[in-house]
Amino acid sequence: MPKITRIDHIAILVDDLDAPLSFWRDALGMEVTQVKDIPAEAAQIAFIPSGGSEIELVRPTTSDSGLAKYLEKRGPGMHHICLEVDDLSGMLAQLKSKGIQLINETPKLSADGKKYAFIHPKSANGVMVELYELPK
Amino acid sequence: MPKITRIDHIAILVDDLDAPLSFWRDALGMEVTQVKDIPAEAAQIAFIPSGGSEIELVRPTTSDSGLAKYLEKRGPGMHHICLEVDDLSGMLAQLKSKGIQLINETPKLSADGKKYAFIHPKSANGVMVELYELPK
């Protein structure tokens, strides 16, 4: 049986990084380990790990990506949560067999070699859920 | 300096528990350790721990609470994230000195003895952030 092992991160969509960093880093005192441009996702991401999980501040860098349109429509705020799974293909098959609506029916591969897929918020109480599997 | 030590939980607001449990427990296979009535919050909460953090499904049990009104206005979905802090009073003073808008300016006390306070989403990129401190 495929197994969820961890909450990997919470992604927060922002329209710039200055005000968010002054909150999460300067006011709350959390450590930002990295701010990275991810051209494949048309986004800049600030990584803020805390106790085995991570907060990610995601700033779209173009105006026509899915993220940019989501931000334009809903404003800044929580975007998705990401759960680590030990067998992504097995989990997607299990979810399909239970009638869960998937955005990605088969694993996608990120630039850094992680397999991931999104579950549709309709099947997850309005929450966008990402599943990912670390390279073995 | 007060310090954030961990992402404690992600709270997801739901209008019933059956469909959410069939997703998180039956489809994803996550373990629900407890379903608890919390009369003080007019809510029933299902606790789903995973790797040091927790997902909490929160179902309002009355129609006139703040949670119920939020649910009515926005529908099911992510409600807040909760961070553990080692010194809540110190952290609230630090946040105030940095101009962060607080919902609770001093710690509130939950029925089970935890000190907690909420930060206003206006100061946190549209995210409702709860801070809590375990009893010492």
Side-chain angles (χ1 to χ4, degrees), chain A residues 20 23-24 27 50 77 91 94 125, chain B residues 6 20 24 27-28 77 94 123 125:
Chain A
F23 171 67
W24 299 94
S50 184
M91 179 60 86
Q94 175 174 305
N125 348 111
Chain B
R6 200 168 61 88
W24 298 94
L28 281 179
Q94 175 174 305
S123 285
N125 349 111

Side-chain angles (χ1 to χ4, degrees), chain A residues 63-125:
Chain A
S63 59
D64 58 352
S65 68
L67 285 174
K69 287 171 188 164
Y70 189 102
L71 176 63
E72 195 186 339
K73 191 172 161 193
R74 307 198 183 203
M78 288 199 267
H79 182 260
H80 69 264
I81 65 174
C82 177
L83 308 174
E84 186 177 337
V85 60
D86 57 0
D87 168 13
L88 179 56
S89 296
M91 179 60 86
L92 293 175
Q94 175 174 305
L95 293 172
K96 262 197 279 193
S97 78
K98 305 265 186 190
I100 300 300
Q101 194 175 333
L102 303 173
I103 292 177
N104 309 111
E105 299 226 337
T106 53
K108 308 254 293 179
L109 199 61
S110 72
D112 58 351
K114 278 188 335 196
K115 288 195 256 183
Y116 70 95
F118 281 89
I119 299 168
H120 200 288
K122 277 186 192 165
S123 283
N125 348 111

Side-chain angles (χ1 to χ4, degrees), chain B residues 45-81:
Chain B
I45 302 183
F47 296 89
I48 308 174
S50 185
S53 292
E54 196 162 57
I55 290 168
E56 296 187 7
L57 304 176
V58 180
R59 183 182 77 81
T61 48
T62 64
S63 59
D64 58 351
S65 68
L67 285 174
K69 285 172 189 165
Y70 190 102
L71 177 63
E72 196 187 339
K73 190 171 161 192
R74 307 199 184 204
M78 288 200 266
H79 182 261
H80 69 263
I81 65 175

Side-chain angles (χ1 to χ4, degrees), chain A:
Chain A
M1 292 275 289
K3 195 173 153 49
I4 301 293
T5 53
R6 201 166 61 89
I7 299 171
D8 180 68
H9 67 259
I10 302 167
I12 297 170
L13 206 50
V14 295
D15 49 13
D16 82 320
L17 278 177
D18 294 343
L21 286 178
S22 78
F23 171 67
W24 299 94
R25 182 190 58 199
D26 305 338
L28 279 179
M30 298 179 82
E31 191 191 355
V32 177
T33 53
Q34 208 181 170
V35 178
K36 201 171 163 183
D37 271 307
I38 319 258
E41 297 178 28
Q44 188 180 34
I45 302 183
F47 296 89
I48 308 172
S50 184
S53 293
E54 196 162 59
I55 291 170
E56 295 186 6
L57 304 176
V58 180
R59 182 182 77 82
T61 49
T62 64
S63 59
D64 58 352
S65 68
L67 285 174
K69 287 171 188 164
Y70 189 102
L71 176 63
E72 195 186 339
K73 191 172 161 193
R74 307 198 183 203
M78 288 199 267
H79 182 260
H80 69 264
I81 65 174
C82 177
L83 308 174
E84 186 177 337
V85 60
D86 57 0
D87 168 13
L88 179 56
S89 296
M91 179 60 86
L92 293 175
Q94 175 174 305
L95 293 172
K96 262 197 279 193
S97 78
K98 305 265 186 190
I100 300 300
Q101 194 175 333
L102 303 173
I103 292 177
N104 309 111
E105 299 226 337
T106 53
K108 308 254 293 179
L109 199 61
S110 72
D112 58 351
K114 278 188 335 196
K115 288 195 256 183
Y116 70 95
F118 281 89
I119 299 168
H120 200 288
K122 277 186 192 165
S123 283
N125 348 111
V127 179
M128 177 99 83
V129 178
E130 179 182 8
L131 299 172
Y132 98 102
E133 179 190 324
L134 276 179
K136 297 244 158 56

Side-chain angles (χ1 to χ4, degrees), chain B residues 76-90:
Chain B
M78 288 200 266
H79 182 261
H80 69 263
I81 65 175
C82 176
L83 307 174
E84 187 176 337
V85 61
D86 58 1
D87 168 12
L88 179 54
S89 296

